[in-house]
Amino acid sequence: MKRYEVAADFTLPDQNGESFTLSAALESGPVVLFFYPAALSLGCTKESCHFRDLEREFTELGAHVVGVSLDDVAKQARFARKNSLTFPLLADVDGSVAELYGVKRALRFLNVKRTTFVIAPDRRVLDVISSEVGLNAHADRALDALRAPTAQ
């Protein structure tokens, strides 16, 4: 998925077992969809907690933060509880959504490329942030993309 393309719609269970559908979420504002390799890992915890710490800023911009990994619902729930993450963490167990977005890898532990998609309500991809080591860059750059005049 590249900038300005139309984001693929999907439905996945969140950490509570509830269905999350991208198009339904977009009805109430932009979505910041971030893919991370493994719930409860050090790097993914740092990245997710940075999104958590900036959640008020995302909310003020009308955006929804949503995390996705290939972990199952139970592991996503433990991850959310342990780190007080209140946004949806989606369980893409078979990797089908990661594949749709072009971020799936064959590696076992690092099974997805750490990538964030900023998606406008019309499903247009406003920005793609890809960094394996700049963990705070994902949330910071997503906020920049949402504040840009082209996001309106």
Side-chain angles (χ1 to χ4, degrees):
M1 194 82 28
K2 292 185 169 88
R3 198 169 183 199
Y4 304 121
E5 286 185 351
V6 174
D9 198 17
F10 64 86
T11 300
L12 287 173
D14 69 10
Q15 70 268 32
N16 302 312
E18 302 291 324
S19 288
F20 173 94
T21 301
L22 178 63
S23 57
L26 289 168
E27 290 175 8
S28 60
V31 169
V32 176
L33 186 70
F34 73 100
F35 287 85
Y36 56 96
L40 300 168
S41 67
L42 186 62
C44 296
T45 297
K46 181 177 179 179
E47 177 186 21
S48 298
C49 288
H50 192 59
F51 273 108
R52 177 202 64 205
D53 295 346
L54 296 174
E55 195 166 13
R56 184 175 54 116
E57 292 180 54
F58 284 105
T59 301
E60 288 171 357
L61 293 167
H64 311 284
V65 173
V66 180
V68 184
S69 75
L70 276 60
D71 297 299
D72 63 24
V73 169
K75 190 169 183 184
Q76 298 286 39
R78 285 193 309 276
F79 188 40
R81 276 192 310 275
K82 182 175 182 181
N83 296 291
S84 301
L85 304 174
T86 58
F87 47 81
L89 298 177
L90 308 182
D92 183 21
V93 177
D94 67 0
S96 59
V97 174
E99 195 166 317
L100 269 176
Y101 279 75
V103 298
K104 189 172 180 188
R105 290 196 271 216
L107 301 173
R108 184 169 178 226
F109 184 69
L110 295 173
N111 47 25
V112 297
K113 297 173 189 170
R114 189 181 308 277
T115 310
T116 299
F117 298 88
V118 180
I119 306 169
D122 64 1
R123 289 187 30 205
R124 180 176 39 104
V125 176
L126 299 174
D127 201 3
V128 179
I129 300 116
S130 185
S131 175
E132 296 294 338
V133 293
L135 303 176
N136 287 349
H138 291 264
D140 295 345
R141 281 195 41 208
L143 283 170
D144 290 344
L146 290 166
R147 291 177 180 131
T150 56
Q152 310 310 318

